[in-house]
Amino acid sequence: MKKYLFISTITLVLFSTVLISCSDEYIDPKPEYSIDSENYFNSKEEYDNALIAAYDLLQSSYVNVLLGEIASDNTLCGGESPTDVIGFQQIDDMIHTPVNSNLRDIWNWMFAGVQRANYILEFQDKTDFPGRTQVIAEARFLRAYYQFELVKWFGGIPMKGDARFKIGDEKTIPRSSVQDVYASIEADLIFASANLSPNAAQQGRITKGAAQALLGKAYLYQNKFAQAAASLDAVITSGKYSLVTDYNAMFEAEGENGTESVFEVQYTDVEGAGFGCLQCSEGNVAVGFNGIRNYSGPLFSSGYSFNIPTQDSYDAFQSGDKRKDVAILDINAWALANASYDNGNGITFGKGNEDTGFFNRKYLPRKRSKDAAGDLNLTNPNNYRAIRYADVLLMAAEAYNRGAIDDGKARTYLNLVRRRAFGDTNHDIATSGAALTDNILDERRIELFGEGHRFFDLVRTGKAAGTIPGFKADKNELFPLPIEEIQFANGNWTQNPGY
């Protein structure tokens, strides 16, 4: 969804001019028009506007994607200096505390998404209209998506059913257990899977396949392998999705919303943005943050040099893997290959903090044919491929393998991804059991590099300790609740262990 802003609590009262007579007597007319949050939802248009508002917070999930890589072994924080965006730097070093403005952003923005979805669901039965079930199903998917992000990052969260949180609730409503949060997510996605159309009503809107895929992912995160396999297989056998032939084209503008896109967050550069309200940007903020510092050359534009791939990540790609040069840009090799640029002056670029010579190429800012509004680094139009078909195949492979259901099927799905990567069948995997599990998880790292999944894959499979530098077991699996939330709750919410 492109830009439409809707505030979840609306208060608009237009009063007629108060008429005063010569005798100083009042005429106090009733308001001609009055809308507030309690008497909204009187038409299809009002439900649609509220749904747009619920979609709008998806664009704020750019920080989730950035930190999903920075917190892992895939990338280093980077930036201009060791103090550039100190919250990112602390997460990279695993020394973050409850006082971290970037973690607070994730909490606030994802909860704002839950709140906006709950606003619709609180009034879901108020007005009937054609297509109402579709709207409710989309709202329930969105709530599940935001809750899934929250439970991944913070564990159990407070929930209030189909109702908005109000001031004071934080002191009376406890944090739900992780199991209860997942139960809510499952219920929402089961409803969405049953009631959404296989075809998007509008580009970027949620489909049945997206709901089934996210449901399968939620099951997988709970080690419910049989349920995960069934839900993910429903996406695969639907015939709606396929692997694109050109892995590189998928991350260029022409590859947006293609046959591999199961769920994609839409971005645009037609509106400006500034650091005072990053969540207001309709552009993909992460892209500018990934950009090459002070870059001048072909194809790309410059940025802030965060999210720097490590040498170990670069070396993890096998020889002949076509994904390597798509996922990671070797800036020195790129400069050498383009030595004739600018009449032989070549490419120029700067070096930032923790420079490795590598950049997250998938989400580097590209040159644009027109000037966007506002800060160009904050308004990049690159869509985020939140759930790709390759991800679905690898999740299904993992479910079939780790659930001891069908290693043959697991290998089939895994090798579909590898055949695209190498262009042949010579690199097919033939292992079984625990060895196959390792192959699948290794493949996820390579296939989904730079897309924000790595940290959570390591955590949920118990491989984070010993793999992520500085990671402490029984602590860093979760991030701390922001200190402000603990204070607001006045003892009602306990902090996560170790913080």
Side-chain angles (χ1 to χ4, degrees):
M1 303 287 287
K2 301 301 183 183
K3 171 66 178 176
Y4 294 91
L5 182 61
F6 178 90
I7 305 303
S8 62
T9 301
I10 301 173
T11 305
L12 174 61
V13 182
L14 303 179
F15 291 99
S16 300
T17 301
V18 175
L19 302 178
I20 304 177
S21 70
C22 295
S23 62
D24 293 329
E25 292 181 353
Y26 283 63
I27 298 176
D28 188 10
K30 293 180 180 179
E32 288 183 355
Y33 184 58
S34 177
I35 295 180
D36 59 30
S37 61
E38 305 309 309
N39 61 30
Y40 198 66
F41 295 113
N42 300 304
S43 66
K44 181 181 185 300
E45 180 183 11
E46 291 181 350
Y47 280 90
D48 286 341
N49 286 339
L51 185 61
I52 290 168
Y55 271 96
D56 195 61
L57 266 297
L58 289 172
Q59 294 167 331
S60 300
S61 63
Y62 76 86
V63 70
N64 308 36
V65 179
L66 266 177
L67 289 177
E69 293 294 310
I70 290 172
S72 78
D73 60 330
N74 271 355
T75 66
L76 302 172
C77 181
E80 182 180 24
S81 72
T83 58
D84 192 3
V85 188
I86 193 65
F88 286 6
Q89 306 286 350
Q90 291 169 347
I91 291 168
D92 182 26
D93 296 333
M94 289 285 128
I95 58 172
H96 48 275
T97 71
V99 181
N100 186 300
S101 62
N102 305 107
L103 291 174
R104 187 177 71 234
D105 286 342
I106 295 175
W107 176 278
N108 286 344
W109 297 346
M110 295 303 96
F111 256 111
V114 173
Q115 186 83 333
R116 292 186 184 191
N118 275 348
Y119 183 40
I120 299 168
L121 298 172
E122 184 174 334
F123 294 96
Q124 61 185 294
D125 297 323
K126 183 175 181 182
T127 303
D128 196 14
F129 56 88
R132 173 180 162 278
T133 301
Q134 170 81 17
V135 170
I136 301 308
E138 289 184 55
R140 292 189 66 169
F141 174 97
L142 290 168
R143 178 171 65 183
Y145 190 91
Y146 296 128
Q147 287 183 336
F148 183 61
E149 287 299 308
L150 287 165
V151 77
K152 284 195 314 181
W153 286 87
F154 302 105
I157 59 172
M159 297 191 299
K160 198 182 176 182
D162 294 340
R164 292 161 294 166
F165 281 89
K166 297 179 181 178
I167 294 174
D169 284 345
E170 72 279 2
K171 294 179 176 62
T172 60
I173 296 177
R175 290 179 67 182
S176 297
S177 68
V178 169
Q179 292 76 15
D180 284 347
V181 177
Y182 272 113
S184 171
I185 291 168
E186 290 173 13
D188 280 345
L189 293 174
I190 289 169
F191 180 91
S193 297
N195 290 284
L196 286 172
S197 169
N199 303 306
Q202 182 182 356
Q203 186 168 281
R205 289 179 69 169
I206 300 151
T207 62
K208 182 185 188 73
Q212 291 170 324
L214 185 57
L215 177 60
K217 187 173 184 177
Y219 284 138
L220 190 63
Y221 270 59
Q222 301 172 80
N223 293 338
K224 294 181 177 180
F225 299 121
Q227 296 97 316
S231 190
L232 294 163
D233 235 358
V235 181
I236 295 167
T237 59
S238 70
K240 293 290 298 180
Y241 308 99
S242 61
L243 295 175
V244 301
T245 302
D246 187 348
Y247 186 78
N248 179 60
M250 179 167 46
F251 297 98
E252 302 296 335
E254 64 270 21
E256 293 182 347
N257 300 302
T259 60
E260 191 159 335
S261 174
V262 180
F263 182 55
E264 191 160 319
V265 178
Q266 311 294 303
Y267 287 99
T268 179
D269 61 358
V270 300
E271 295 194 18
F275 280 97
C277 186
L278 288 175
Q279 74 271 30
C280 301
S281 178
E282 297 305 309
N284 191 338
V285 174
V287 172
F289 272 68
N290 286 330
I292 307 160
R293 185 165 291 275
N294 300 321
Y295 175 83
S296 177
L299 186 58
F300 307 112
S301 59
S302 65
Y304 299 126
S305 68
F306 283 90
N307 201 23
I308 302 298
T310 63
Q311 182 70 50
D312 178 72
S313 294
Y314 188 76
D315 294 341
F317 289 82
Q318 292 179 260
S319 177
D321 192 330
K322 299 176 183 179
R323 296 170 295 190
K324 184 173 188 175
D325 292 336
V326 175
I328 300 178
L329 176 71
D330 180 338
I331 189 61
N332 296 304
W334 177 250
L336 185 64
N338 289 276
S340 62
Y341 178 77
D342 190 22
N343 298 316
N345 291 317
I347 290 170
T348 60
F349 57 92
K351 291 187 177 182
N353 178 49
E354 299 180 308
D355 176 68
T356 63
F358 301 124
F359 293 90
N360 178 9
R361 189 186 182 281
K362 290 178 181 177
Y363 288 103
L364 282 181
R366 267 60 170 177
K367 287 185 179 296
R368 285 172 270 175
S369 60
K370 65 180 181 64
D371 289 333
D375 189 326
L376 292 177
N377 285 313
L378 304 181
T379 55
N380 283 279
N382 313 51
N383 284 359
Y384 172 57
R385 288 73 171 165
I387 305 177
R388 292 199 283 116
Y389 185 57
D391 188 7
V392 172
L393 288 170
L394 292 176
M395 287 192 291
E398 182 183 341
Y400 275 108
N401 164 248
R402 292 184 65 203
I405 302 168
D406 189 337
D407 273 359
K409 204 164 192 176
R411 284 190 297 271
T412 296
Y413 291 156
L414 169 62
N415 287 328
L416 284 174
V417 175
R418 291 182 61 80
R419 288 172 188 176
R420 194 253 306 263
F422 292 95
D424 58 37
T425 59
N426 298 330
H427 296 81
D428 281 8
I429 296 295
T431 56
S432 300
L436 179 56
T437 302
D438 289 340
N439 292 143
I440 293 167
L441 298 179
D442 288 345
E443 197 69 26
R444 286 189 61 81
R445 182 187 190 187
I446 299 304
E447 174 66 29
L448 302 171
F449 183 89
E451 299 179 46
H453 306 295
R454 176 65 172 172
F455 175 83
F456 301 102
D457 278 350
L458 289 172
V459 167
R460 68 182 178 79
T461 57
K463 296 180 179 293
T467 301
I468 299 174
F471 186 97
K472 297 180 181 63
D474 301 320
K475 174 184 177 181
N476 292 135
E477 291 84 357
L478 297 175
F479 292 86
L481 272 64
I483 188 64
E484 296 89 345
E485 302 302 322
I486 297 296
Q487 292 170 341
F488 293 152
N490 196 27
N492 186 38
W493 300 342
T494 57
Q495 184 58 272
N496 284 331
Y499 297 102

